Structure formats: structure tokens, C-alpha cells
Amino acid sequence: MATANDRAVLQTIFKPNTPFGDIPGLDEEEETGQEEEMAFAPELLGHAKDLELQGVSAAESGDLRTALESFALAIQILPERASGYNNRAQVLRLQGDVAGALEDLATALRLSRGRGRVACQAFVQRGLICRLQGCEEEAQRDWEQAARLGSAFASRQLVRMNPYAALCNQMLSEMMGKLQEPGVEREEPSQGGSPGGKCG
């Protein structure tokens, strides 16, 4: 059974207003996605989409085994469709199979040719895994790709990774506090470690 943290991550992956809720076209197919999906037989595509929806529903309720089975069946029906791999990767990671998740994300990125909402989701997801593994440069590269594809979540992560942006945000917050409460003395931020003292 999924932990509360796992359910929170699933919420992040499968629900709007989360890291993927800010991706343009998440709830409606993008034109490129429609063109690519037209290559699939409509009855097979419909069946694969239904299985993915069942997988998402199972994952949201904490039934990761059923979710994994649904995504695997969707992939079996349409092995050249990127979405199933992207969804299955999240469940694999939650089950502790990080290598399997990374393999599915690589497949999703290859099949989507690094474009569209599935690629954006896969870059965000892989960036999260890299960050959890302490691979900051790899996470940054993936989030840069996701940000280019329209993810505001990835853009925010990139800002947080930039120490100069973090210092600028801290200084701006303190200045705004002083403007809102004149006469209240606040401790000045440390100036050490900021070469040039410029905020971009």
C-alpha cells in the first residue's frame, strides 16, 4: 500500500495544479500529439487510453500493483505510444524500481522525440529522480528541457537551484518586509559569498 508521501507524489504526477498541471495542453491533446496518435488504430488507441485511466485511478487509490498491470497492458497494446511508459515509470519508482523507472522514461522520451506534454512530464519526472539521487547537473538539464516545453514547475526548480537567485529572492523579501513595516529593524542579509553583489 502507498504511503502518504507516495500518494502526494502521485497527486503531483496525475493531478492538475501540480508540477504537471502547469504544462500547456495537459488536459487537451496538443496538435503534435494528435497527429502522432492518428498513426494508431483508433480502437487500439481508445483501449490503451482506457487502460491508462484505470491505471491512474488505481495509483491514486494506492493500488500500485493494479496500476502497474494496467499500464503494462496499455504498453502491450501500443508499444510505440510514449504515454504508457511515462505513467508506468512513476509507479515503478514508487515501488522502488528506480532503474526500471529511468528505463521507461528514456523510452517515453525516445518515442515522443523529446516534444509535447509526455516529454515534458518525462523530463520533470526524470529530473525529480536525479535530484533525489543527488545528481544535480542531470536534474538541471532535464528541468531546462521541461521548462522549454512549458513547465512552470521545472522553471521554479531551476530558480531554486541557482544560489544567486535564492539570495536575490531573500533580499527582495526582506526589502518588501521593510517597506510594509517601516521602523521595524531587521537583520541585514549576509553579503559574503556573492561575487559582484549583482542579482540577475
Side-chain angles (χ1 to χ4, degrees):
M1 177 144 239
T3 66
N5 184 55
D6 288 345
R7 285 190 295 275
V9 172
L10 283 168
Q11 175 83 2
T12 295
I13 300 301
F14 296 119
K15 290 289 192 176
N17 303 319
T18 59
F20 303 121
D22 59 19
I23 299 169
L26 180 62
D27 294 322
E28 53 189 58
E29 292 292 334
E30 297 173 347
E31 286 181 24
T32 56
Q34 286 178 343
E35 290 169 10
E36 290 168 5
E37 293 204 341
M38 286 174 58
F40 302 124
E43 64 278 1
L44 293 179
L45 179 59
H47 190 45
K49 285 183 174 183
D50 287 345
L51 284 165
E52 285 188 52
L53 288 173
Q54 291 170 24
V56 169
S57 180
E60 287 175 337
S61 67
D63 186 355
L64 300 183
R65 185 185 57 78
T66 299
L68 198 59
E69 290 171 0
S70 295
F71 294 137
L73 284 172
I75 290 168
Q76 187 177 357
I77 290 168
L78 287 177
E80 296 301 310
R81 187 167 180 264
S83 180
Y85 294 96
N86 184 61
N87 287 325
R88 185 172 71 176
Q90 178 61 15
V91 176
L92 288 171
R93 192 202 65 76
L94 291 172
Q95 290 185 327
D97 184 1
V98 174
L102 289 171
E103 185 177 325
D104 270 1
L105 291 171
T107 301
L109 289 168
R110 178 180 56 79
L111 292 174
S112 66
R113 296 190 299 279
R115 299 184 318 207
R117 68 179 177 86
V118 172
C120 189
Q121 291 174 336
F123 280 125
V124 168
Q125 203 173 165
R126 194 170 70 180
L128 289 167
I129 291 172
C130 289
R131 187 80 190 267
L132 288 171
Q133 293 180 326
C135 303
E136 300 290 317
E137 289 180 19
E138 290 87 344
Q140 182 174 349
R141 280 196 296 270
D142 281 340
W143 285 337
E144 285 170 353
Q145 292 287 341
R148 283 189 200 105
L149 292 171
S151 172
F153 172 82
S155 297
R156 287 190 300 271
Q157 297 311 306
L158 290 169
V159 169
R160 289 182 182 138
M161 293 177 84
N162 181 336
Y164 299 111
L167 179 61
C168 289
N169 286 339
Q170 177 188 353
M171 291 169 59
L172 180 61
S173 175
E174 290 176 8
M175 286 175 50
M176 292 303 292
K178 285 181 181 181
L179 289 173
Q180 290 174 351
E181 298 178 34
V184 175
E185 290 297 319
R186 285 180 167 58
E187 188 176 315
E188 293 297 320
S190 168
Q191 296 299 318
S194 177
K198 291 186 178 180
C199 296

